[in-house]
Amino acid sequence: MTQKMIYFSFMFGVWLVYVGSMFPIFLLFMSLGQSLHVAMIVASVVPYLFIIVQRTFRGLNLINQLQKNI
């Protein structure tokens, strides 16, 4: 249970860093409410994209290792 709480608090911290870093950038182009909403949406999607890319490259690495062994 403690590990899950540490993991979720870490993910929440990462999410806050994403929102905090993207919010001022979006604020240059949109109103306050719109930029906050877009920053929260992007911050929610970005970790999943990182997971997908990581798994894709792990799969490619396994394919390359198998080709070297043949």
Side-chain angles (χ1 to χ4, degrees):
M1 182 68 181
T2 305
Q3 282 184 327
K4 286 184 180 181
M5 290 303 295
I6 292 171
Y7 176 75
F8 286 128
S9 61
F10 174 75
M11 288 303 291
F12 183 69
V14 169
W15 185 81
L16 282 176
V17 168
Y18 283 148
V19 170
S21 62
M22 287 184 272
F23 174 66
I25 296 170
F26 291 141
L27 195 57
L28 295 172
F29 305 106
M30 300 177 219
S31 67
L32 181 72
Q34 284 178 331
S35 61
L36 187 60
H37 278 96
V38 171
M40 290 189 321
I41 291 169
V42 171
S44 299
V45 171
V46 165
Y48 294 113
L49 293 176
F50 284 146
I51 291 170
I52 291 169
V53 169
Q54 180 187 16
R55 289 187 179 187
T56 301
F57 281 111
R58 185 186 313 157
L60 291 176
N61 188 24
L62 290 174
I63 292 171
N64 289 338
Q65 287 178 353
L66 287 174
Q67 287 178 347
K68 288 180 184 177
N69 291 335
I70 293 177

